[in-house]
Amino acid sequence: MNALEVSNISKRFGNFFAVKDLTFEISEGSIYGLLGPNGAGKTTTLRMVMNIIMPDSGEIKVLGQKMDERMKARIGYLPEDRGLYPKMKVGEILLFLAEIKGVRGERAKKKIDLWLDRFSLSEWKQKKVEELSKGMQQKIQFIVTVIHEPEIIILDEPFGGLDPVNTKLIKDIMMEMEKKGHTIIFSTHRMEQVEMICDKICLINKAEKVLEGGLADIKKEYGKNTVILDYDGNGSFIKEFPGIEKIDDYGKFMEIKMKEKADPQGLLETLVGKIQVNKFEVREPTLNAIFIDKVGEKDAEDTVSH
Amino acid sequence: MRKILSVIKREYIQIVRTKGFIIGTVLGPVLMASFIVVPVLMSVISVDKQETIGVVDLSERVFTGLENKLDMKLKDGQRRYLLTEYKVRRDVDGLREELNRKVLSDELTAYLIIPENISEGGTAKYYSRNVSDFDKLRSINEAVNSVVIEKRLNKEGLNPSKIAEYLKRIRWKNNKVTKRGVEEDTGGTFIIAYFLVLILYMTLFFYGSIIMRGVIEEKTSRVVEVVLSSLKPFQLMIGKLLGIAAVGFTQYTIWALFGLAASKYGGRLVSGIFPQAQAFKMPSMPAYIFVYFVVFFILGYFLYGTLYAAIGSVVNSEKEAQQLLFPISMFLIVPILLIMFVMRSPSSSVSVILSLVPFFAPILMLLRISILLPPFIQVAGSIVLMILMILLMVWLVSKIYRVGILMYGKRPNMKEIIKWVRYS
């Protein structure tokens, strides 16, 4: 059974299409990445999946049933625009948000203590939310998302504003949840995370789907014509080498896209002696490169840079 | 339904715990007590001092009588008003200038010019820096008036010693006829009506802004979408309205208990502290007025509460909300401005129609009920109209609310808001 089936959904705000005829499905127990530049329609799509806004047309099925209010209890949702009631105590707000997900009484209290302990926040339980640091509030947010043990977990930009330690913590829990059979859907515009975590992705741009499939399949389709070069020295001469289609130079790191029949070995020979080569790898393109290729450099500039 | 209950519980606990609620709940009775105590205090502790008033008596017949009439005493036994007569030496205008200087230098509080023909319809003129002290003006006016009338009667050959008796005012008592019989009114009806309407007005404003601030807080703290992942916008809105209504109920109950205690022991307490004060009688309030008061508060609360919720949902900050609040404030202020009119003619057709308008009804119909109970059909009519209006508002506002709470950035204009209602 599919955890989520989205068929031909569209949403218009005035004359502007936020989502246009979008279709994708997610099999149970997988980690699915919804990618796209800012304003592509990711958040609108997830809001429609959550029944927070209604699609103008199309259908959404969750766990085999048409999405409705009752299904909300089986999904955990971490919105991109997220926050907590600043004046409430940590224990109270967790209890309230657990209650409206249908977890009540002693069961809710037990779970709250368990999760607070896991994130080492137990001594903050009686403190007001506004007294917590930003990172602690993010952890509380995450607890809220999973406290009712939902079958599907939807995370909209889950790592936005997180430091590396908390990012790892959240990532570890995501992997653990996947092992337990939960389905995880997350949206992001940071490709390196997607490469590490996702099984399948869907790339949307300007309200429409441009790419969908398993991560490995997509990369294979792009072929092994990319050179990853880790170097020291002045590498500006490389662009003169015949058979190079495109270079992404980061100063000490270069992603070089070769033309169809070009010879990577020849390139390596040219490099030796002129610069110090720390690593030379012929492989599929990074997801980042595919993303830029599909979305177009101009569109992606403001997205990928941060 | 359980989700709505959770929202109600959250709203209730969060607000009842705030300092604002605790202070407001305590301050209410203090305010009520001050309504009773302050007027009594004012009558006991007078701040009056002796004042000198100049009199230019061109008729040459009034001054002596006036000095006898205006003989109120201060607490220390001295005269309240010291009268000084000024004679015209050259011309009246010159004297007036001199007296004006004396008034401006506070040598005189005021001066009075009594024309020669005062008995035949001439105008007495009063000059002072302050001509708004109605109490003082009235007593001086009365004194001059009765002196002149006595002179006229005297001229007609009436026995001067009997004149005072002839001029004695009649005694008068107001009685209110109600279905339960006739009861004497000592101004209590007016006080109660005014008091109730004022409380209603203040609490509608107060709870309305609590609702609005709650909605804005959910938006600015970005918690709203987290909540909406579990329930419908409508459930959140209704839960908020009901939760805050429960807060209002709590506050009213506390106040009612205070009020009950005050009406039972208040009079005794006041006369215990200030034995000088004449036996103070607390105005009593019939139970049915209190019941209507609660009914109209509830209806008014939902009527205005939905409006405040709508405003909270379309703005990004309380500052932005201020401009939008103006029309709502007008809805509340207009009936307050109409209070005097409705009190004077509570059964006129204009009053009846105004009190049936849903947004005016909480204040104006309650006012009419507390002055003289209108026909039941009118009261029921206003209640039905309000309920219909509330249903319409809830329907309309829930459509604005569900879009508004997820909108950040530029405040939508009226046209866009109408579009939201039409689309969803």
Tab-separated table of all heavy atoms in Angstrom, chain B residues 213-254:
chain	number	residue	atom	x	y	z
B	213	ARG	N	-6.052	39.749	20.351
B	213	ARG	CA	-4.642	39.574	20.687
B	213	ARG	C	-4.238	38.107	20.633
B	213	ARG	O	-3.142	37.763	20.221
B	213	ARG	CB	-4.354	40.163	22.070
B	213	ARG	CG	-3.422	41.364	21.981
B	213	ARG	CD	-3.164	41.962	23.334
B	213	ARG	NE	-4.297	42.749	23.764
B	213	ARG	CZ	-4.719	42.835	25.027
B	213	ARG	NH1	-4.127	42.157	25.973
B	213	ARG	NH2	-5.746	43.587	25.329
B	214	GLY	N	-5.164	37.227	21.054
B	214	GLY	CA	-4.891	35.788	21.007
B	214	GLY	C	-4.636	35.318	19.584
B	214	GLY	O	-3.696	34.566	19.325
B	215	VAL	N	-5.495	35.783	18.664
B	215	VAL	CA	-5.341	35.372	17.264
B	215	VAL	C	-4.028	35.898	16.704
B	215	VAL	O	-3.274	35.181	16.042
B	215	VAL	CB	-6.531	35.866	16.415
B	215	VAL	CG1	-6.320	35.528	14.953
B	215	VAL	CG2	-7.827	35.264	16.916
B	216	ILE	N	-3.725	37.173	17.017
B	216	ILE	CA	-2.479	37.765	16.508
B	216	ILE	C	-1.278	37.018	17.071
B	216	ILE	O	-0.313	36.740	16.357
B	216	ILE	CB	-2.400	39.267	16.856
B	216	ILE	CG1	-3.494	40.030	16.109
B	216	ILE	CG2	-1.035	39.838	16.498
B	216	ILE	CD1	-3.587	41.497	16.453
B	217	GLU	N	-1.355	36.645	18.361
B	217	GLU	CA	-0.232	35.937	18.970
B	217	GLU	C	0.000	34.595	18.270
B	217	GLU	O	1.137	34.211	18.010
B	217	GLU	CB	-0.490	35.700	20.463
B	217	GLU	CG	0.756	35.208	21.188
B	217	GLU	CD	0.435	34.462	22.467
B	217	GLU	OE1	-0.608	33.767	22.533
B	217	GLU	OE2	1.223	34.567	23.417
B	218	GLU	N	-1.093	33.909	17.934
B	218	GLU	CA	-0.932	32.628	17.245
B	218	GLU	C	-0.271	32.815	15.888
B	218	GLU	O	0.497	31.977	15.430
B	218	GLU	CB	-2.301	31.950	17.066
B	218	GLU	CG	-2.701	31.163	18.300
B	218	GLU	CD	-4.139	30.711	18.279
B	218	GLU	OE1	-4.888	31.132	17.378
B	218	GLU	OE2	-4.525	29.959	19.172
B	219	LYS	N	-0.575	33.950	15.251
B	219	LYS	CA	0.040	34.210	13.952
B	219	LYS	C	1.507	34.573	14.105
B	219	LYS	O	2.366	33.995	13.451
B	219	LYS	CB	-0.682	35.368	13.257
B	219	LYS	CG	-1.838	34.937	12.407
B	219	LYS	CD	-2.410	36.116	11.624
B	219	LYS	CE	-1.699	36.306	10.306
B	219	LYS	NZ	-2.384	37.312	9.462
B	220	THR	N	1.787	35.552	14.985
B	220	THR	CA	3.166	36.032	15.069
B	220	THR	C	4.101	34.967	15.636
B	220	THR	O	5.261	34.914	15.270
B	220	THR	CB	3.282	37.310	15.927
B	220	THR	OG1	2.620	37.057	17.163
B	220	THR	CG2	2.647	38.487	15.248
B	221	SER	N	3.594	34.109	16.518
B	221	SER	CA	4.471	33.069	17.063
B	221	SER	C	4.554	31.869	16.120
B	221	SER	O	5.274	30.922	16.381
B	221	SER	CB	3.961	32.620	18.433
B	221	SER	OG	2.755	31.923	18.274
B	222	ARG	N	3.802	31.924	15.035
B	222	ARG	CA	3.818	30.860	14.015
B	222	ARG	C	3.380	29.493	14.571
B	222	ARG	O	3.791	28.458	14.083
B	222	ARG	CB	5.213	30.689	13.410
B	222	ARG	CG	5.775	31.917	12.726
B	222	ARG	CD	5.059	32.149	11.409
B	222	ARG	NE	5.761	33.056	10.530
B	222	ARG	CZ	5.613	34.380	10.487
B	222	ARG	NH1	4.788	34.968	11.343
B	222	ARG	NH2	6.263	35.117	9.619
B	223	VAL	N	2.542	29.522	15.621
B	223	VAL	CA	2.111	28.249	16.177
B	223	VAL	C	0.872	27.741	15.442
B	223	VAL	O	0.517	26.573	15.513
B	223	VAL	CB	1.818	28.384	17.694
B	223	VAL	CG1	0.498	29.085	17.951
B	223	VAL	CG2	1.828	27.019	18.369
B	224	VAL	N	0.246	28.650	14.680
B	224	VAL	CA	-1.077	28.330	14.155
B	224	VAL	C	-1.054	27.119	13.221
B	224	VAL	O	-1.925	26.256	13.281
B	224	VAL	CB	-1.719	29.572	13.488
B	224	VAL	CG1	-0.924	30.075	12.309
B	224	VAL	CG2	-3.130	29.271	13.082
B	225	GLU	N	-0.015	27.018	12.387
B	225	GLU	CA	-0.014	25.901	11.442
B	225	GLU	C	0.238	24.571	12.158
B	225	GLU	O	-0.242	23.530	11.732
B	225	GLU	CB	1.034	26.133	10.341
B	225	GLU	CG	0.710	25.366	9.075
B	225	GLU	CD	1.613	25.718	7.916
B	225	GLU	OE1	2.221	26.813	7.940
B	225	GLU	OE2	1.712	24.897	6.994
B	226	VAL	N	1.005	24.653	13.257
B	226	VAL	CA	1.223	23.441	14.059
B	226	VAL	C	-0.126	22.949	14.597
B	226	VAL	O	-0.441	21.760	14.541
B	226	VAL	CB	2.178	23.746	15.232
B	226	VAL	CG1	2.346	22.517	16.115
B	226	VAL	CG2	3.536	24.214	14.705
B	227	VAL	N	-0.934	23.891	15.077
B	227	VAL	CA	-2.243	23.527	15.623
B	227	VAL	C	-3.157	23.020	14.506
B	227	VAL	O	-3.889	22.049	14.669
B	227	VAL	CB	-2.874	24.736	16.349
B	227	VAL	CG1	-4.270	24.395	16.829
B	227	VAL	CG2	-1.999	25.158	17.510
B	228	LEU	N	-3.076	23.679	13.347
B	228	LEU	CA	-3.968	23.296	12.246
B	228	LEU	C	-3.633	21.923	11.661
B	228	LEU	O	-4.421	21.365	10.925
B	228	LEU	CB	-3.901	24.347	11.126
B	228	LEU	CG	-4.521	25.685	11.461
B	228	LEU	CD1	-4.580	26.562	10.224
B	228	LEU	CD2	-5.920	25.523	12.036
B	229	SER	N	-2.452	21.391	12.016
B	229	SER	CA	-2.156	20.047	11.536
B	229	SER	C	-2.945	19.017	12.340
B	229	SER	O	-2.893	17.825	12.052
B	229	SER	CB	-0.656	19.764	11.615
B	229	SER	OG	-0.254	19.565	12.942
B	230	SER	N	-3.669	19.485	13.373
B	230	SER	CA	-4.482	18.557	14.166
B	230	SER	C	-5.965	18.872	14.101
B	230	SER	O	-6.786	18.011	14.358
B	230	SER	CB	-4.058	18.605	15.635
B	230	SER	OG	-2.686	18.382	15.747
B	231	LEU	N	-6.322	20.118	13.855
B	231	LEU	CA	-7.748	20.439	13.834
B	231	LEU	C	-8.060	21.497	12.787
B	231	LEU	O	-7.183	22.072	12.174
B	231	LEU	CB	-8.233	20.886	15.224
B	231	LEU	CG	-7.346	21.777	16.078
B	231	LEU	CD1	-7.330	23.188	15.554
B	231	LEU	CD2	-7.837	21.757	17.510
B	232	LYS	N	-9.391	21.729	12.615
B	232	LYS	CA	-9.835	22.662	11.579
B	232	LYS	C	-9.741	24.099	12.091
B	232	LYS	O	-9.911	24.333	13.284
B	232	LYS	CB	-11.295	22.373	11.213
B	232	LYS	CG	-11.458	21.183	10.306
B	232	LYS	CD	-12.892	21.090	9.801
B	232	LYS	CE	-13.732	20.266	10.737
B	232	LYS	NZ	-15.045	19.897	10.217
B	233	PRO	N	-9.509	25.055	11.174
B	233	PRO	CA	-9.494	26.458	11.594
B	233	PRO	C	-10.762	26.815	12.369
B	233	PRO	O	-10.708	27.533	13.361
B	233	PRO	CB	-9.441	27.233	10.273
B	233	PRO	CG	-8.900	26.293	9.279
B	233	PRO	CD	-9.261	24.908	9.738
B	234	PHE	N	-11.893	26.268	11.914
B	234	PHE	CA	-13.158	26.574	12.572
B	234	PHE	C	-13.153	26.106	14.033
B	234	PHE	O	-13.615	26.810	14.925
B	234	PHE	CB	-14.299	25.899	11.805
B	234	PHE	CG	-15.648	26.224	12.365
B	234	PHE	CD1	-16.234	27.448	12.107
B	234	PHE	CD2	-16.332	25.307	13.141
B	234	PHE	CE1	-17.480	27.755	12.621
B	234	PHE	CE2	-17.580	25.598	13.661
B	234	PHE	CZ	-18.155	26.830	13.395
B	235	GLN	N	-12.584	24.922	14.264
B	235	GLN	CA	-12.525	24.402	15.637
B	235	GLN	C	-11.649	25.289	16.515
B	235	GLN	O	-11.967	25.539	17.671
B	235	GLN	CB	-11.972	22.971	15.635
B	235	GLN	CG	-12.915	21.970	15.006
B	235	GLN	CD	-12.283	20.597	14.847
B	235	GLN	OE1	-11.145	20.475	14.385
B	235	GLN	NE2	-13.016	19.561	15.220
B	236	LEU	N	-10.556	25.772	15.933
B	236	LEU	CA	-9.661	26.637	16.691
B	236	LEU	C	-10.371	27.936	17.048
B	236	LEU	O	-10.305	28.419	18.184
B	236	LEU	CB	-8.400	26.915	15.867
B	236	LEU	CG	-7.349	27.824	16.499
B	236	LEU	CD1	-6.828	27.265	17.791
B	236	LEU	CD2	-6.196	28.061	15.535
B	237	MET	N	-11.097	28.492	16.066
B	237	MET	CA	-11.778	29.770	16.281
B	237	MET	C	-12.882	29.624	17.326
B	237	MET	O	-12.974	30.424	18.260
B	237	MET	CB	-12.357	30.259	14.955
B	237	MET	CG	-12.923	31.658	15.024
B	237	MET	SD	-13.613	32.166	13.433
B	237	MET	CE	-15.300	31.630	13.624
B	238	ILE	N	-13.709	28.595	17.173
B	238	ILE	CA	-14.821	28.400	18.106
B	238	ILE	C	-14.280	28.109	19.512
B	238	ILE	O	-14.774	28.624	20.502
B	238	ILE	CB	-15.741	27.256	17.616
B	238	ILE	CG1	-16.526	27.724	16.389
B	238	ILE	CG2	-16.684	26.809	18.711
B	238	ILE	CD1	-17.494	28.869	16.657
B	239	GLY	N	-13.244	27.291	19.580
B	239	GLY	CA	-12.647	26.969	20.876
B	239	GLY	C	-12.140	28.218	21.573
B	239	GLY	O	-12.332	28.404	22.768
B	240	LYS	N	-11.522	29.085	20.773
B	240	LYS	CA	-11.001	30.330	21.341
B	240	LYS	C	-12.151	31.196	21.849
B	240	LYS	O	-12.114	31.695	22.974
B	240	LYS	CB	-10.191	31.066	20.275
B	240	LYS	CG	-9.488	32.304	20.782
B	240	LYS	CD	-8.641	32.932	19.698
B	240	LYS	CE	-7.334	32.227	19.468
B	240	LYS	NZ	-6.433	32.277	20.610
B	241	LEU	N	-13.193	31.357	21.024
B	241	LEU	CA	-14.340	32.188	21.434
B	241	LEU	C	-14.979	31.637	22.707
B	241	LEU	O	-15.275	32.383	23.637
B	241	LEU	CB	-15.384	32.248	20.312
B	241	LEU	CG	-15.041	33.141	19.111
B	241	LEU	CD1	-16.038	32.942	17.984
B	241	LEU	CD2	-15.021	34.607	19.517
B	242	LEU	N	-15.178	30.320	22.756
B	242	LEU	CA	-15.840	29.728	23.928
B	242	LEU	C	-14.950	29.804	25.162
B	242	LEU	O	-15.420	30.092	26.256
B	242	LEU	CB	-16.219	28.275	23.635
B	242	LEU	CG	-17.340	28.083	22.612
B	242	LEU	CD1	-17.535	26.604	22.296
B	242	LEU	CD2	-18.652	28.680	23.123
B	243	GLY	N	-13.656	29.558	24.965
B	243	GLY	CA	-12.732	29.584	26.108
B	243	GLY	C	-12.696	30.954	26.752
B	243	GLY	O	-12.742	31.091	27.978
B	244	ILE	N	-12.643	31.986	25.909
B	244	ILE	CA	-12.573	33.342	26.457
B	244	ILE	C	-13.937	33.735	27.032
B	244	ILE	O	-14.006	34.472	28.015
B	244	ILE	CB	-12.042	34.322	25.391
B	244	ILE	CG1	-10.593	33.944	25.056
B	244	ILE	CG2	-12.092	35.754	25.888
B	244	ILE	CD1	-9.985	34.655	23.883
B	245	ALA	N	-15.020	33.217	26.440
B	245	ALA	CA	-16.348	33.459	27.023
B	245	ALA	C	-16.404	32.893	28.438
B	245	ALA	O	-16.955	33.510	29.354
B	245	ALA	CB	-17.433	32.827	26.156
B	246	ALA	N	-15.796	31.721	28.622
B	246	ALA	CA	-15.774	31.109	29.960
B	246	ALA	C	-14.996	31.990	30.931
B	246	ALA	O	-15.364	32.110	32.104
B	246	ALA	CB	-15.150	29.721	29.883
B	247	VAL	N	-13.946	32.638	30.426
B	247	VAL	CA	-13.190	33.560	31.277
B	247	VAL	C	-14.112	34.702	31.716
B	247	VAL	O	-14.159	35.077	32.885
B	247	VAL	CB	-11.969	34.127	30.530
B	247	VAL	CG1	-11.262	35.164	31.378
B	247	VAL	CG2	-11.016	33.014	30.151
B	248	GLY	N	-14.864	35.247	30.736
B	248	GLY	CA	-15.783	36.333	31.046
B	248	GLY	C	-16.807	35.914	32.083
B	248	GLY	O	-17.122	36.668	33.012
B	249	PHE	N	-17.299	34.700	31.944
B	249	PHE	CA	-18.281	34.173	32.887
B	249	PHE	C	-17.707	34.123	34.295
B	249	PHE	O	-18.357	34.505	35.258
B	249	PHE	CB	-18.680	32.772	32.438
B	249	PHE	CG	-20.142	32.618	32.323
B	249	PHE	CD1	-20.811	33.051	31.182
B	249	PHE	CD2	-20.880	32.069	33.353
B	249	PHE	CE1	-22.171	32.946	31.076
B	249	PHE	CE2	-22.243	31.949	33.257
B	249	PHE	CZ	-22.896	32.377	32.117
B	250	THR	N	-16.473	33.639	34.374
B	250	THR	CA	-15.819	33.568	35.680
B	250	THR	C	-15.734	34.948	36.306
B	250	THR	O	-16.058	35.138	37.484
B	250	THR	CB	-14.394	33.004	35.510
B	250	THR	OG1	-14.469	31.798	34.760
B	250	THR	CG2	-13.743	32.755	36.846
B	251	GLN	N	-15.310	35.909	35.482
B	251	GLN	CA	-15.141	37.259	36.007
B	251	GLN	C	-16.490	37.826	36.467
B	251	GLN	O	-16.588	38.405	37.544
B	251	GLN	CB	-14.541	38.141	34.916
B	251	GLN	CG	-13.987	39.428	35.455
B	251	GLN	CD	-12.997	40.057	34.490
B	251	GLN	OE1	-13.287	40.206	33.305
B	251	GLN	NE2	-11.841	40.420	34.978
B	252	TYR	N	-17.513	37.629	35.667
B	252	TYR	CA	-18.839	38.140	36.026
B	252	TYR	C	-19.354	37.500	37.310
B	252	TYR	O	-19.975	38.159	38.135
B	252	TYR	CB	-19.828	37.888	34.883
B	252	TYR	CG	-19.897	39.021	33.876
B	252	TYR	CD1	-18.960	40.049	33.910
B	252	TYR	CD2	-20.873	39.073	32.920
B	252	TYR	CE1	-18.999	41.084	33.001
B	252	TYR	CE2	-20.941	40.109	31.996
B	252	TYR	CZ	-19.989	41.113	32.037
B	252	TYR	OH	-20.049	42.137	31.134
B	253	THR	N	-19.097	36.195	37.444
B	253	THR	CA	-19.561	35.518	38.657
B	253	THR	C	-18.907	36.132	39.889
B	253	THR	O	-19.569	36.407	40.890
B	253	THR	CB	-19.222	34.018	38.577
B	253	THR	OG1	-19.711	33.516	37.336
B	253	THR	CG2	-19.850	33.259	39.724
B	254	ILE	N	-17.595	36.362	39.781
B	254	ILE	CA	-16.896	36.958	40.920
B	254	ILE	C	-17.465	38.341	41.226
B	254	ILE	O	-17.744	38.686	42.374
B	254	ILE	CB	-15.376	37.035	40.637
B	254	ILE	CG1	-14.803	35.621	40.533
B	254	ILE	CG2	-14.662	37.834	41.719
B	254	ILE	CD1	-13.374	35.562	40.051
